[in-house]
Amino acid sequence: MSLPEIVSREEWHAAREELLVKEKVLTRARDALNAERRRLPMVEITEEYVFDGGDGKASLLDLFDGSQQLVVHHFMFAPEWEAGCRSCSAFLDQIGHLAHLKARGTSFAVVSRAPFPRILPFKARMGWTLPWYSSYDNGFNRDFRVTFEQSGQLAERPGLSCFLRDGGRVFHTYSAYERGLDGLGSTTSLLDLTALGRQEEWEEPKGRASGLGAPAGSDRIRYHDEYEF
């Protein structure tokens, strides 16, 4: 195995400071890219999708669970599979407590093509409590390009899609697929994909920090059992 060079503490600090300059450039570039993402237009969803979940039938609007935003994880689990995708499972394992997303007016849900009775035992095996829905009887996966034709057969790919609601109207604002999911999973990384972002004053474009009246800034982060919803 090739290991890093061994140096003195002073040499390490010098190299670290040099790298830090580049890291700050990357951070500023990421902030600019996130702002550009928030400026994307959106598309109204007029299809009446019906999903199967723990409480029975649910519409896409129901998946918001009262929030203004929704992040959907397109989990690869085809109807004929006995278990869900290993890579998707590893991704789902790193999702934090949903209360921190909920505090920013954002819900998170998992959607797969497998029938809900097949999802349930696998979800129990993994010990997940995240809301999970089946799109077995609708075209949701095809419409959001995570199920597609390949060599005459249906193929699956992982993804995330973000939605915004205005009253009873639902809009699609963003999707990412495959390598686009690299580095995602934390609360802030998921919020950075959404139209409203982290809802903090420093973010561009202006005017979205107080749209939900949600806590913003690290000084207002709570323990997950202290939020009031």
Side-chain angles (χ1 to χ4, degrees), residues 119-196:
I119 291 172
L120 276 175
F122 181 70
K123 180 182 178 182
R125 171 189 167 187
M126 294 292 101
W128 293 325
T129 58
L130 299 159
W132 199 335
Y133 299 87
S134 169
S135 60
Y136 178 73
D137 290 323
N138 66 51
F140 185 77
N141 277 46
R142 284 178 175 269
D143 292 348
F144 288 91
R145 303 183 179 183
V146 289
T147 298
F148 54 94
E149 294 278 352
Q150 188 176 67
S151 302
Q153 295 183 332
L154 288 181
E156 307 278 330
R157 66 172 174 167
L160 283 173
S161 290
C162 301
F163 302 90
L164 176 71
R165 75 175 180 91
D166 183 11
R169 300 173 70 190
V170 175
F171 301 88
H172 175 221
T173 60
Y174 184 74
S175 285
Y177 306 100
E178 298 170 339
R179 286 294 306 278
L181 276 61
D182 286 1
L184 300 178
S186 67
T187 296
T188 51
S189 70
L190 294 176
L191 289 172
D192 284 342
L193 301 182
T194 68
L196 301 182

Side-chain angles (χ1 to χ4, degrees), residues 73-156:
H73 178 213
H74 301 287
F75 189 107
M76 293 171 59
F77 197 160
E80 66 275 15
W81 295 1
E82 293 299 324
C85 164
R86 288 182 173 86
S87 295
C88 292
S89 298
F91 177 84
L92 211 55
D93 277 337
Q94 67 188 0
I95 299 296
H97 202 288
L98 297 186
H100 299 294
L101 279 174
K102 191 73 172 179
R104 305 295 176 98
T106 304
S107 290
F108 182 92
V110 184
V111 174
S112 298
R113 235 172 16 103
F116 192 66
R118 179 159 290 188
I119 291 172
L120 276 175
F122 181 70
K123 180 182 178 182
R125 171 189 167 187
M126 294 292 101
W128 293 325
T129 58
L130 299 159
W132 199 335
Y133 299 87
S134 169
S135 60
Y136 178 73
D137 290 323
N138 66 51
F140 185 77
N141 277 46
R142 284 178 175 269
D143 292 348
F144 288 91
R145 303 183 179 183
V146 289
T147 298
F148 54 94
E149 294 278 352
Q150 188 176 67
S151 302
Q153 295 183 332
L154 288 181
E156 307 278 330

Side-chain angles (χ1 to χ4, degrees), residues 21 59 69:
V21 173
S59 66
Q69 296 193 121

Side-chain angles (χ1 to χ4, degrees), residues 34-40 194-197 203-205 208:
N34 289 337
E36 189 172 348
R37 183 185 293 115
R38 289 189 290 273
R39 291 188 177 97
L40 281 173
T194 68
L196 301 182
E203 288 182 308
E204 297 288 344
R208 301 185 186 181

